[in-house]
Amino acid sequence: MRDLFERTILIVDDEAINRDILGNIIKSEYKVIYAENGKEALEIIHSNGTTISLVLLDLLMPVMDGNEVLKTMNEEGIITDIPVIVLTSEKSSEIESLKLGAADFLTKPYDLPEVILARVRHSIQLFENSKIIHATEFDKLTLLYSPEFFFEYASQFDQRFPDTVMDAIVINFTRFHLLNQLKGRNFGDEVLNAMADGIRKVLLKTGGIAGRNEADYFYLYVPHQNDYGIFLDKINEALSSLLKPSETRLRLGVYSDEKHSFTMLQRFDHAVQACNSLRSKTSGNSDICIYDDMMSEKEVFDAHLLQDFEAAIEQKQFKVNYQPKFNIKGDKPVLCSAEALVRWVHPELGFVRPDLFIPLFEENGLVTKLDRYVWEEAARQIAAWKKELGVTIPVSVNVSRVDIAAPDMIDFITKIVKENGLSASEYMLEITESAYTADSKHIIEVVKNLRSLGHKVEMDDFGSGYSSLNMLTSMPIDVLKMDKAFIRNIQPGNKEMKLVELVLDIAKNLGVLVVAEGVETEDELKLLKEAGCDIIQGYYFSKPIPPEEMLRFV
Ligand code: C2E
Ligand code: CA
Ligand code: CA
């Protein structure tokens, strides 16, 4: 495949006559471009990147000489991407250039043309061979391109057809890891192979190339399409002998670049972003997402939030609100605790919802600083209520899985609880369900320790993602919070309601309390009460409120 592509050689010499001599010799086999001095050469290298296969570099030149070019290429790490042959008339300067990473040298006056061509070929060949040792062309499992070669060929495609509008496409199998876990790796491999077969079939129609990157991410570079359904159809077809349609969820992200204004990697980053934006969608047939300006707006918005984070902490722009939870066992609902929920009152953007910044800060590791701020604030609030109202309102705080990774997490909690004169039972922690499946060993360890200190631990968002009912039996928790999406669809006797009843039943047997969150209507409340649910949180009773408003529920 590589030989289909003409290689480009850059000749750098200040004397026109020398450029012509060399150029005439090699232009029969290579595309030749020229520069008159080192500065110009670097500019060309910077703008053409790895599409240059070799540089023939004169040493003595005005403006910027050859050794300086070599030095810069070294500093910028370009020397490992492009081989350089130096052109020199004095033998003595060779040593210096070779030290600086030159691959070979040609002495002036030049040898026979055949000799020069042979050395040029030889240098390119050597260099390309050594690159191939480092990267194999095909992914062993699927025989699509490996990532390195995929990106290389995609770039070469642009070089050859600069006017063709191309799509960067990323296709992923949603929750592939679960498939691996449930049915074994060999089965997972079969699925990936079938996906690759499907992709090959589509490429026969659309043209273009495909590679595999990180497990179940497939990358395609194809001429611009109007309809991407065909990609998913063909892959689904190829998967149909292995999986039921209900077990298969593919998602596809696209970035079309008309202006070639981004690098190849950036274009695929955008496609991945589009693809991943579909990750949390649970219904509908919107398994295709085209990267658009909304998304770059989101990037700008995210960057804004990241930049403002430190100042926001310092200036106390983060406010903690509390949403009450009620025990509904008796005739009248009784306030039993509250959940601390953070809000950002941003001086320019106004009120920013936590789901806009929490996932972002989780990615960037900032969430731990924010959470500890919230945890401390909550501890202080429990103490303040005790003092003002004379009652304890236990509070649960949200714990991100990133927080749990910090070795001093428990020390920190112990410290703030002690500093505020609280007992551990007044301070509860909500850990989202997906954290348990992600790194269960460590989490279970931490949860056990927290409970042995007297804290109650709630499993948050149960039913929103990866949970299985039997997971409950192995998790050391005190409280289970059923996700609001779960609650939203309950009707007397329907599937969701039966599931709720089943969860309540299992929880009761395990001695675990159940909180239903996101309860908005009286009907929902009634159904849950009848089913034996103990605790309710939701707009039906109250939205999250500032701490001073809690008074009215006491
Ligand atoms: P979550 O932990 O599941 O919190 C419950 C969310 O449901 C809250 O959204 C709450 O306002 C909302 N909610 C409560 N009742 C109802 C209802 O009846 N109907 C509907 N539609 N929604 C209801 P909020 O405050 O926007 O928080 C969103 C998520 O952000 C939280 O989900 C939690 O995952 C995260 N979060 C909030 N505060 C913190 C924090 O301090 N630390 C961490 N790590 N995450 C936080
Ligand atoms: Ca929560
Ligand atoms: Ca929740």
Side-chain angles (χ1 to χ4, degrees), residues 7 45 94 148 210 242 251 273 374 376 450 477 480:
R7 292 174 180 73
I45 290 172
E94 292 158 20
E148 294 85 349
L242 292 169
R251 49 185 215 270
Q273 205 187 327
V374 173
E376 217 170 343
L450 283 165
I477 50 161
L480 191 139

Side-chain angles (χ1 to χ4, degrees), residues 339 398 430 460-462 481-484 517:
E339 174 179 6
N398 285 287
E430 295 192 10
D460 203 357
D461 306 327
F462 183 83
K481 288 189 85 169
M482 282 192 290
D483 193 59
K484 46 184 170 297
E517 78 176 326

Side-chain angles (χ1 to χ4, degrees), residues 294-511:
M294 282 291 286
M295 290 194 164
S296 38
E297 259 172 47
K298 176 157 178 8
E299 275 174 14
V300 172
F301 183 74
D302 284 356
H304 201 149
L305 297 185
L306 287 173
Q307 195 190 326
D308 295 348
F309 175 76
E310 290 295 337
I313 289 272
E314 264 165 41
Q315 296 164 16
K316 296 192 182 290
Q317 290 168 13
F318 292 106
K319 306 284 177 217
V320 184
N321 277 2
Y322 298 84
Q323 187 174 33
K325 301 179 197 171
F326 291 87
N327 191 318
I328 53 161
K329 275 258 171 79
D331 295 342
K332 260 189 165 178
V334 180
L335 175 72
C336 58
S337 63
E339 174 179 6
L341 291 157
V342 69
R343 276 90 188 81
W344 187 350
V345 186
H346 191 286
E348 292 148 41
L349 303 169
F351 180 91
V352 187
R353 296 200 322 263
D355 41 343
L356 290 180
F357 58 84
I358 295 282
L360 176 70
F361 292 163
E362 278 178 339
E363 270 171 40
N364 292 278
L366 295 174
V367 78
T368 297
K369 186 160 183 184
L370 174 60
D371 275 344
R372 289 186 176 196
Y373 175 88
V374 173
W375 297 349
E376 217 170 343
E377 200 50 45
R380 206 171 311 150
Q381 191 58 55
I382 304 171
W385 278 327
K386 265 176 147 174
K387 203 167 150 209
E388 285 162 31
L389 312 173
V391 292
T392 289
I393 307 171
V395 168
S396 58
V397 295
N398 285 287
V399 178
S400 153
R401 64 189 122 172
V402 184
D403 299 330
I404 302 174
D408 65 336
M409 174 197 163
I410 295 186
D411 291 345
F412 184 84
I413 302 243
T414 308
K415 188 186 93 179
I416 56 174
V417 165
K418 205 169 145 199
E419 274 172 5
N420 288 284
L422 307 178
S423 71
S425 63
E426 294 165 327
Y427 201 88
M428 310 184 287
L429 301 114
E430 295 192 10
I431 302 176
T432 186
E433 171 209 80
S434 61
Y436 285 90
T437 39
D439 180 11
S440 41
K441 255 201 196 135
H442 178 65
I443 302 234
I444 290 177
E445 196 59 29
V446 172
V447 168
K448 273 188 183 150
N449 286 338
L450 283 165
R451 295 182 72 215
S452 71
L453 289 168
H455 294 285
K456 294 235 156 52
V457 176
E458 309 192 359
M459 186 191 280
D460 203 357
D461 306 327
F462 183 83
S464 66
Y466 306 86
S467 49
S468 63
L469 284 174
N470 68 22
M471 178 174 116
L472 278 182
T473 53
S474 56
M475 291 301 168
I477 50 161
D478 303 279
V479 181
L480 191 139
K481 288 189 85 169
M482 282 192 290
D483 193 59
K484 46 184 170 297
F486 214 154
I487 308 298
R488 192 64 59 244
N489 297 313
I490 53 173
Q491 298 280 344
N494 75 352
K495 214 171 74 195
E496 284 77 8
M497 192 61 218
K498 291 206 173 104
L499 210 53
V500 168
E501 285 162 357
L502 188 63
V503 170
L504 285 166
D505 202 38
I506 295 176
K508 203 160 268 166
N509 280 312
L510 295 170

